[in-house]
Amino acid sequence: MAIDRITQAFVLGAGLGTRLRPLTDDLPKPLIPIFQKPLITFALDHLIDNGVKSFVINTHKLPETFVRVFADNRYAGLPVKPVNEPVLLGTGGGIKNVESFLGGKPFIAYSGDILTDADLAPLIENHFRAKNHVTLGLRRDTGLGAGVVMRNGRIIAISNDSNPAENFDYANVSVWNPEIFLKIPPSQKISFIPIVTKWIGEGGRIGGVVLDDGEWFNIGSRKEYLEVHRVISTEHWRPRYVRTVGWSNRIHPSAIIDPTVQLRGCSVVGQNCRVEAGAILENTILWPGAQIASRTELFGCIVRSQHTASGVHRNIDI
């Protein structure tokens, strides 16, 4: 069983989210709400469901927002340690930077800006059964570009060359043995890819497990952000590990919506929002505290927290 084989995780939360601007001007990408639930908390719920009992999260942009979300450095009663990177260190440098918090035990690394319900048990079980140093979760057609070449469960190369019969995309979740810390130079910005590539050449046991079951979303653009809401709303998708009460209600109980307002399609109204008379919201997401003036019409829009919208708008972020 995978449960309890891994009890700690490094969750990557330090990305800039540049393709999501202006949504990420006020909020780091891992904290953007998905039906009023911060994106990164899906990763934490997923990991808890697989036996993880403590978390280290690297941060960079607006680190104080993570402190607010994880009051008392806890989530679901479990310890959360935010570790700020004033200068971004990359995926490899980020792992090295949290060495003192992860100690001498294996850990899962999980990107805080993906949303998936893929079964992680085969990944964890394979890591220990095959006695790997590193085991990468892999998928096809993630949109991130193929490059991981795997044969017989072992990764033999990471390349930009396309070879659909053997190449996979990294699914942004992986299992690592503590030996990785000896491979990464301290205080340097570096991706884990050259580290792993060199390790393969030195005889390192680098495994791969295909995680093609379930849904997998990389929330890297407004199109992908809106698509997640569409799937949740129209296809009634709900990750089995989510136990948050009230998720995925379209309208937060604290929202004030005039009876004449029309909510169409996959619209979501967040906490403490106010929508005044005669407004029309179609496939539009309101973040907490958004204010919508009377007779406003929004089609395919996203209104950020504490922002006000009026007039007629299509496919913009406010």
Side-chain angles (χ1 to χ4, degrees), residues 1-244:
M1 293 293 290
I3 297 297
D4 295 330
R5 298 297 298 272
I6 299 279
T7 59
Q8 58 180 356
F10 172 46
V11 182
L12 289 82
L16 293 173
T18 52
R19 290 196 298 135
L20 269 171
R21 287 177 177 161
L23 299 180
T24 50
D25 286 347
D26 305 322
L27 202 62
K29 181 166 67 167
L31 298 185
I32 62 175
I34 307 293
F35 273 87
Q36 306 157 40
K37 178 176 167 63
L39 173 57
I40 199 171
T41 63
F42 291 90
L44 303 189
D45 289 340
H46 200 181
L47 291 164
I48 290 170
D49 196 54
N50 283 272
V52 172
K53 295 178 172 59
S54 65
F55 306 93
V56 179
I57 301 175
N58 70 337
T59 67
H60 174 69
K61 185 176 184 178
L62 302 171
E64 68 280 0
T65 56
F66 288 89
V67 175
R68 289 199 296 268
V69 169
F70 300 112
D72 302 319
N73 287 342
R74 313 285 290 185
Y75 177 76
L78 299 174
V80 174
K81 177 63 178 178
V83 178
N84 188 42
E85 294 180 16
V87 177
L88 286 173
L89 295 171
T91 52
I95 289 174
K96 180 66 174 180
N97 194 50
V98 298
E99 177 179 3
S100 62
F101 302 105
L102 294 176
K105 297 187 296 183
F107 62 94
I108 293 184
Y110 194 124
S111 176
D113 59 5
I114 64 168
L115 175 51
T116 181
D117 61 351
D119 186 5
L120 300 185
L123 175 72
I124 299 170
E125 291 168 355
N126 177 271
H127 180 80
F128 290 99
R129 184 174 62 250
K131 296 181 171 57
N132 291 334
H133 291 114
V134 182
T135 308
L136 303 183
L138 307 174
R139 287 180 77 94
R140 297 188 189 273
D141 302 323
T142 65
L144 299 180
V148 179
V149 183
M150 182 174 66
R151 294 177 187 166
N152 301 318
R154 285 291 162 99
I155 293 172
I156 61 171
I158 301 177
S159 168
N160 291 325
D161 296 334
S162 178
N163 182 358
E166 297 177 336
N167 280 30
F168 297 87
D169 302 342
Y170 175 48
N172 283 10
V173 59
S174 47
V175 182
W176 301 77
N177 279 4
E179 290 93 324
I180 182 60
F181 297 121
L182 300 175
K183 302 290 183 179
I184 306 175
S187 304
Q188 289 189 26
K189 181 177 182 178
I190 188 170
S191 165
F192 76 75
I193 292 175
I195 303 297
V196 168
T197 300
K198 182 179 179 182
W199 207 349
I200 291 171
E202 296 170 345
R205 296 186 299 276
I206 314 300
V209 174
V210 179
L211 305 175
D212 269 344
D213 63 301
E215 297 282 358
W216 190 95
F217 299 95
N218 171 41
I219 317 297
S221 69
R222 76 182 314 272
K223 179 181 178 181
E224 291 159 340
Y225 181 74
L226 291 171
E227 173 64 10
V228 167
H229 284 81
R230 185 199 66 78
V231 170
I232 294 168
S233 179
T234 63
E235 300 180 16
H236 309 292
W237 176 64
R238 179 186 178 95
R240 62 191 176 278
Y241 52 77
V242 173
R243 296 179 175 86
T244 305

